[in-house]
Amino acid sequence: MMPPLPDQPRAMRDPAVETGRRAALDQPHIAPLTEFVHSLRARDYNEYPFFEPADGGAEASILFVLEKPGPMTVAKGRGFREGSGFISRDNDDSTAEASYRLYREGGVDRRQSVLWNVIPGWNGTIKVTASKLKAGVDDLERLIALLPRLQSIVLVGKRAARAKPRLEGLGRFSIFQSAHPSGQVRAINPHPLG
């Protein structure tokens, strides 16, 4: 059964919401993406967050590709700052809250969208190396193959935008770019969009 959708940002601070999401990882729309995450986790020691079951999963027509997961995507007890273990607009952090509000105000139906990162794993640092970016784009191409209804990709932030040339070569969807919703970007440009 699909977990209840939160009606406010930072819903993952409620342990019952997180538990409900974990229970839904084998739902048909999210199971192929859960297996994808397991394959990444089996490969190395980075922390790869699960996809949000309240989003569209493999049925999504819009893929939002952010830059790199932060510590609030790391599951509790994994050795980093503790978070939910999901890439989610419902995480208990300011970037997730800004994303939640932005998507809601923009009329983006979360059941039609899915979130990921161009650098998919958290390794304890925000630093992005060229080799990590290349490997991340390789993983992104594998993910895209799991999204048969994909029509649009939104590259969120400058680092994510670096994947554009390779994604354009795949050619079956529209590609857009946007600013990143992090506190650093909002501090530089405090005026709301619109």
Side-chain angles (χ1 to χ4, degrees):
M1 177 176 204
M2 176 60 93
L5 293 175
D7 60 1
Q8 63 185 26
R10 297 182 183 248
M12 286 287 198
R13 74 173 71 175
D14 179 350
V17 171
E18 183 182 325
T19 299
R21 298 304 201 273
R22 289 197 183 284
L25 286 172
D26 63 350
Q27 292 292 306
H29 76 291
I30 208 73
L33 304 185
T34 300
E35 289 304 314
F36 174 70
V37 171
H38 285 306
S39 74
L40 296 175
R41 289 179 171 185
R43 176 179 74 191
D44 61 47
Y45 292 105
N46 290 332
E47 177 61 29
Y48 297 95
F50 285 115
F51 289 84
E52 167 64 84
D55 291 348
E59 303 298 314
S61 60
I62 305 168
L63 171 62
F64 288 93
V65 180
L66 290 92
E67 296 180 343
K68 185 175 182 178
M72 293 310 285
T73 64
V74 176
K76 290 173 177 54
R78 300 284 294 199
F80 298 111
R81 182 176 165 203
E82 296 182 349
S84 69
F86 290 89
I87 179 167
S88 175
R89 65 194 86 197
D90 298 334
N91 279 340
D92 187 15
D93 67 78
S94 63
T95 297
E97 181 176 354
S99 295
Y100 178 95
R101 294 182 190 288
L102 181 66
Y103 300 143
R104 187 169 219 168
E105 290 170 12
V108 176
D109 181 345
R110 73 182 299 158
R111 293 166 297 182
Q112 295 299 314
S113 64
V114 66
L115 309 177
W116 195 237
N117 288 285
V118 73
I119 308 288
W122 172 250
N123 60 358
T125 179
I126 61 171
K127 183 178 179 185
V128 174
T129 64
S131 63
K132 288 284 185 191
L133 183 63
K134 182 190 177 313
V137 175
D138 291 344
D139 292 334
L140 182 57
E141 289 182 6
R142 288 180 50 215
L143 170 62
I144 289 169
L146 299 174
L147 305 174
R149 296 184 180 172
L150 186 64
Q151 296 176 7
S152 302
I153 296 177
V154 180
L155 301 171
V156 184
K158 291 179 182 178
R159 290 177 180 150
R162 290 168 53 190
K164 187 175 181 181
R166 280 196 40 202
L167 298 178
E168 286 175 328
L170 301 177
R172 66 178 178 96
F173 35 74
S174 300
I175 300 174
F176 304 93
Q177 292 177 237
S178 79
H180 195 278
S182 72
Q184 291 175 327
V185 173
R186 289 191 321 270
I188 294 168
N189 184 15
H191 303 291
L193 300 175

